[in-house]
Amino acid sequence: MNAVEVLKTYFGYDAFRKGQEEIIGAILSGRDALAVMPTGAGKSICYQVPALLLPGITLVISPLISLMQDQVKSLNAAGIHAAYINSSLTEAQIAKALRLAVQGTYKIIYVAPERLESAGFMEFALQGAISMVTVDEAHCISQWGQDFRPSYLKIVDFIENLPNRPIVSAFTATATEEVKNDIECVLKLDHPDTVVTGFDRENLYYSVEYFAGGQKDAFVEDYIDKHSNESGIIYCATRKNVDALYEKLSGRGVPVTRYHAGIDNETRKRNQEDFIYDRKPVVVATNAFGMGIDKSNVRYVIHYNMPQSMENYYQEAGRAGRDGGNSQCILLFSLQDIMINKYLLARKEFDGMEAENIELVKQRDAQRLQAMEGYCKTTSCLRYYILAYFGEKTKGSCDNCGNCHRVYSEVDMTADAKWVINCIAEARGRYGLNIILGTLLGANRARLKEVGATAYKSYGVLSHRSEKDIRLLVDQMLMDGYIIQTQEEYSVLRLGDIQRLRDENTRVLVRKSVESESKAKSSRSNSKKTDSLTRAGYELFDKLRKLRLAIAKEEALPPYIIFNDRTLIDMCVKMPVNKQEMLNVSGVGENKFSRYGQRFLEQVKEFMAENPG
């Protein structure tokens, strides 16, 4: 078999996606490889296909138990023998799995990085013929990555202790140029073929909703009511928020579950399975949830609070639409989110890291948080903000995000900007945004009297403006470099380069959203994969989903491992009536046909008989 035949036979696809063929070709020629590909772009295919063609075993190193279990279930369902080694197994089960691996039973073994240090696993590695070591979530090896894990540094020692150096491949969805270089250096990749397919997920519609008060709950409730037949994830920054929102939604009869580190292991596992198996299609969770969850039919991801970095946001939002279907990524932003994240970062633990590195990482964390805040406040294209952050050059707008579909007016606030500068000068760079805002608005606060701000010339000069308008102005001035916000936990405002403002022709223009205008939606964002179906086709799609759910219960598998929604929709379009036609459906391979194909063929034939013509 060649790579294309493996792809068709086991995975049911006729052609590779962007970047896959190049990575697979490099690996099969014996070269190391590094791939930066967005979530849903098919990274796993890039190492699973060559794993079946290489002579020995492929070890896949992953930090996530849930990911390993999910991937192994999917591979076994496709007729590929695979296993995982992690703390969810007993020592007896691990010993049995390693014994079978040495005998050649498994082509792919998933393993946690901590396991590499065990004497038993090293003994297996010295006996087994390891052709390739694949490092998944490879950004975890970089101290500048958002998920640095010291255990990943052991991978290099493990590889160097093997009798023959295997091919090394590394994969990640989130890597800035700096992190990408770090992965290559720390893993000691040997002249790797590096492929960056781009970070754009065209099927995801990004939007940011600003909340001055506490209306977030009402937004979430209304959204879920309007999308009651869809699966979604709602991320909260704290356990307290998770519990409160969960109670509110479950009290309204929403089929919802929850997930955070404060819930015991058994309950967490059950709740995760309720979500994966579609028993409860909505989950409210902290960022402890989702890494390694391969659920393909998540139609929306709502962030109840702003995440700590663009890397985290891109990764978490990217759990929507893994099947390629159009999906929504909505961030609910309030200024309190910034304070929550500063509080959480100030209490971040740095186990096993040297003092000088801790200080550097703290600085990076502050910079990441500032970039995330910029995303929430920008009036420019949200998609292009994300792409620019990850180093992709863009121009114009995508016409497929919330900002591109908002109506804006441009207001000249040059005179107001000069008063902001005057106020910061009077404060001598000692105070933060709240003091400056309160002073300009002429607020009656004890703290302003205490610091002497009520005596400033600038006190109350912008009382005719709303607080929101002045915040927008300050944000614009920060972007233009007229003022600077320091990176400490209690940041202060200081003057930047104000030279340009001395030119009477210089203008400070602020874009304001016209709230009264209805927000247009792009046809792409609203369209669903099922829009390609006729009314009768949608009826068949519903019947096939019910059959899939019944089989999933029989097999104790998540429904999307049987067939994902994209495959079911393709069945409805192609209406196969025999094996050959069914094998032409995207996502139907030989093994899946032999296990499930006949029952789906019978369902299609039955539907056609009931609906002639």
Side-chain angles (χ1 to χ4, degrees):
M1 274 194 190
N2 60 30
V4 174
E5 289 168 339
V6 167
L7 183 73
K8 179 61 180 172
T9 302
Y10 290 100
F11 301 99
Y13 300 119
D14 293 317
F16 289 107
R17 293 194 215 170
K18 182 181 177 183
Q20 288 179 331
E21 199 161 15
E22 183 181 343
I23 287 288
I24 290 167
I27 291 170
L28 290 176
S29 70
R31 290 184 64 189
D32 286 356
L34 169 58
V36 183
M37 304 168 80
T39 303
K43 290 188 293 294
S44 56
I45 289 285
C46 294
Y47 59 81
Q48 289 170 352
V49 167
L52 296 177
L53 293 168
L54 292 169
I57 298 166
T58 290
L59 289 184
V60 182
I61 299 167
S62 168
L64 308 156
I65 290 174
S66 56
L67 173 65
M68 297 182 198
Q69 293 170 337
D70 218 35
Q71 292 278 7
V72 168
K73 282 177 185 174
S74 295
L75 288 168
N76 287 329
I80 299 164
H81 296 297
Y84 57 80
I85 309 290
N86 58 43
S87 58
S88 70
L89 302 178
T90 65
E91 287 304 317
Q93 288 173 318
I94 290 170
K96 182 181 178 183
L98 295 178
R99 188 169 63 252
L100 290 172
V102 170
Q103 293 168 6
T105 303
Y106 303 122
K107 288 293 289 179
I108 302 175
I109 298 175
Y110 287 80
V111 60
E114 295 81 5
R115 183 64 50 179
L116 302 179
E117 297 178 79
S118 82
F121 191 83
M122 196 67 222
E123 186 182 339
F124 148 74
L126 294 172
Q127 292 177 43
I130 296 173
S131 298
M132 178 165 67
V133 172
T134 293
V135 183
D136 202 9
E137 307 293 344
H139 58 273
C140 294
I141 204 166
S142 171
Q143 290 195 15
W144 315 129
Q146 78 279 14
D147 289 316
F148 172 62
R149 296 175 187 245
S151 58
Y152 260 58
L153 297 174
K154 306 292 183 185
I155 296 171
V156 179
D157 294 338
F158 171 78
I159 292 170
E160 288 180 344
N161 285 327
L162 294 174
N164 299 300
R165 186 186 184 278
I167 298 163
V168 181
S169 57
F171 297 85
T172 180
T174 50
T176 58
E177 189 66 25
E178 187 174 42
V179 171
K180 183 162 68 72
N181 292 337
D182 218 16
I183 292 168
E184 189 173 332
C185 292
V186 178
L187 268 181
K188 297 183 180 179
L189 298 181
D190 184 14
H191 298 90
D193 187 345
T194 301
V195 174
V196 180
T197 61
F199 291 87
D200 192 12
R201 299 272 308 280
E202 290 186 2
N203 63 313
L204 299 187
Y205 185 92
Y206 300 98
S207 62
V208 176
E209 304 295 335
Y210 177 80
F211 292 88
Q215 309 99 11
K216 289 184 178 182
D217 288 359
F219 179 95
V220 172
E221 289 168 12
D222 181 61
Y223 187 91
I224 290 175
D225 285 346
K226 290 175 180 174
H227 299 81
S228 56
N229 63 342
E230 294 179 353
S231 182
I233 304 171
I234 304 163
Y235 281 109
C236 299
T238 65
R239 300 176 191 179
K240 183 180 176 182
N241 280 349
V242 168
D243 291 338
L245 188 57
Y246 165 78
E247 293 295 343
K248 188 164 281 192
L249 293 176
S250 57
R252 286 170 55 90
V254 174
V256 61
T257 187
R258 60 180 157 178
Y259 191 103
H260 61 65
I263 300 170
D264 67 87
N265 286 341
E266 201 53 45
T267 306
R268 272 210 315 268
K269 183 181 177 185
R270 185 173 65 248
N271 291 354
Q272 179 171 298
E273 287 182 351
D274 281 346
F275 177 68
I276 288 172
Y277 286 83
D278 280 336
R279 294 191 286 264
K280 293 185 177 176
V282 179
V283 62
V284 185
T286 60
N287 63 5
F289 177 81
M291 292 242 341
I293 299 299
D294 201 23
K295 193 172 194 288
S296 62
N297 65 333
V298 175
R299 291 276 75 87
Y300 61 87
V301 172
I302 297 174
H303 278 80
Y304 189 87
N305 305 103
M306 179 186 81
Q308 292 176 357
S309 70
M310 288 302 300
E311 288 91 341
N312 285 346
Y313 180 66
Y314 180 79
Q315 193 170 57
E316 290 160 13
R319 285 164 196 147
R322 293 182 70 123
D323 59 1
N326 290 305
S327 306
Q328 301 269 333
C329 305
I330 306 166
L331 199 161
L332 312 184
F333 173 66
S334 67
L335 294 168
Q336 188 186 14
D337 294 339
I338 300 168
M339 304 315 297
I340 290 171
N341 281 316
K342 284 185 176 179
Y343 174 86
L344 294 172
L345 285 173
R347 282 146 188 83
K348 181 176 176 180
E349 295 180 0
F350 296 94
D351 294 338
M353 197 179 289
E354 294 177 8
E356 58 188 41
N357 284 340
I358 290 174
E359 196 51 46
L360 278 171
V361 171
K362 281 184 175 180
Q363 289 175 22
R364 298 295 174 90
D365 285 344
Q367 289 166 6
R368 285 197 185 98
L369 184 61
Q370 196 168 50
M372 189 69 241
E373 186 182 339
Y375 174 83
C376 295
K377 292 179 175 180
T378 186
T379 56
S380 301
C381 174
L382 292 170
R383 183 182 310 280
Y384 287 178
Y385 187 102
I386 293 170
L387 297 181
Y389 179 83
F390 288 108
E392 286 191 29
K393 293 180 181 178
T394 55
K395 287 183 180 178
S397 62
C398 71
D399 194 32
N400 190 35
C401 75
N403 280 8
C404 287
H405 294 143
R406 273 196 172 91
V407 179
Y408 290 96
S409 63
E410 207 162 50
V411 181
D412 186 338
M413 296 185 75
T414 310
D416 306 79
K418 289 178 179 177
W419 274 116
V420 173
I421 285 168
N422 190 293
C423 184
I424 292 171
E426 287 183 286
R428 288 183 288 174
R430 292 174 298 171
Y431 305 120
L433 180 61
N434 284 336
I435 293 286
I436 301 301
L437 284 173
T439 303
L440 292 165
L441 289 165
N444 182 22
R445 295 184 205 153
R447 177 65 176 148
L448 295 180
K449 293 173 186 173
E450 183 185 349
V451 302
T454 52
Y456 293 173
K457 285 183 181 179
S458 55
Y459 181 75
V461 293
L462 298 184
S463 57
H464 62 290
R465 294 285 192 188
S466 70
E467 181 179 333
K468 186 177 179 183
D469 282 351
I470 303 176
R471 284 184 183 276
L472 285 171
L473 172 59
V474 169
D475 289 339
Q476 186 63 50
M477 294 176 73
L478 284 166
M479 283 191 281
D480 291 342
Y482 296 128
I483 55 180
I484 297 164
Q485 189 168 30
T486 62
Q487 298 290 330
E488 294 88 5
E489 184 180 356
Y490 301 104
S491 60
V492 298
L493 292 177
R494 292 180 179 154
L495 295 181
D497 179 11
I498 59 172
Q499 189 65 34
R500 286 172 292 152
L501 274 178
R502 294 191 172 127
D503 181 345
E504 61 181 21
N505 295 316
T506 299
R507 290 285 172 265
V508 179
L509 302 175
V510 176
R511 293 184 84 206
K512 291 174 61 179
S513 175
V514 182
E515 299 293 343
S516 59
E517 294 285 345
S518 62
K519 295 170 188 173
K521 293 285 186 181
S522 90
S523 57
R524 261 201 296 170
S525 71
N526 272 338
S527 66
K528 301 176 182 177
K529 286 286 177 184
T530 49
D531 286 355
S532 62
L533 302 178
T534 61
R535 182 182 60 80
Y538 192 85
E539 286 177 22
L540 174 57
F541 176 63
D542 199 44
K543 287 180 180 292
L544 295 180
R545 279 199 299 184
K546 287 174 181 172
L547 172 60
R548 177 180 65 182
L549 184 60
I551 295 171
K553 286 177 179 176
E554 292 167 15
E555 303 252 341
L557 288 173
Y560 60 84
I561 285 181
I562 309 298
F563 289 125
N564 63 31
D565 281 0
R566 178 186 282 185
T567 297
L568 296 191
I569 290 165
D570 204 32
M571 279 185 208
C572 296
V573 171
K574 292 177 177 170
M575 304 286 276
V577 294
N578 57 44
K579 177 180 178 180
Q580 193 52 50
E581 289 181 5
M582 182 61 92
L583 287 173
N584 286 330
V585 170
S586 177
V588 181
E590 289 282 356
N591 192 70
K592 282 200 174 181
F593 178 82
S594 67
R595 294 181 70 171
Y596 316 121
Q598 197 57 45
R599 291 174 71 175
F600 282 88
L601 273 178
E602 287 167 7
Q603 182 67 79
V604 172
K605 288 177 184 175
E606 182 183 315
F607 182 81
M608 290 172 73
E610 291 170 357
N611 297 271

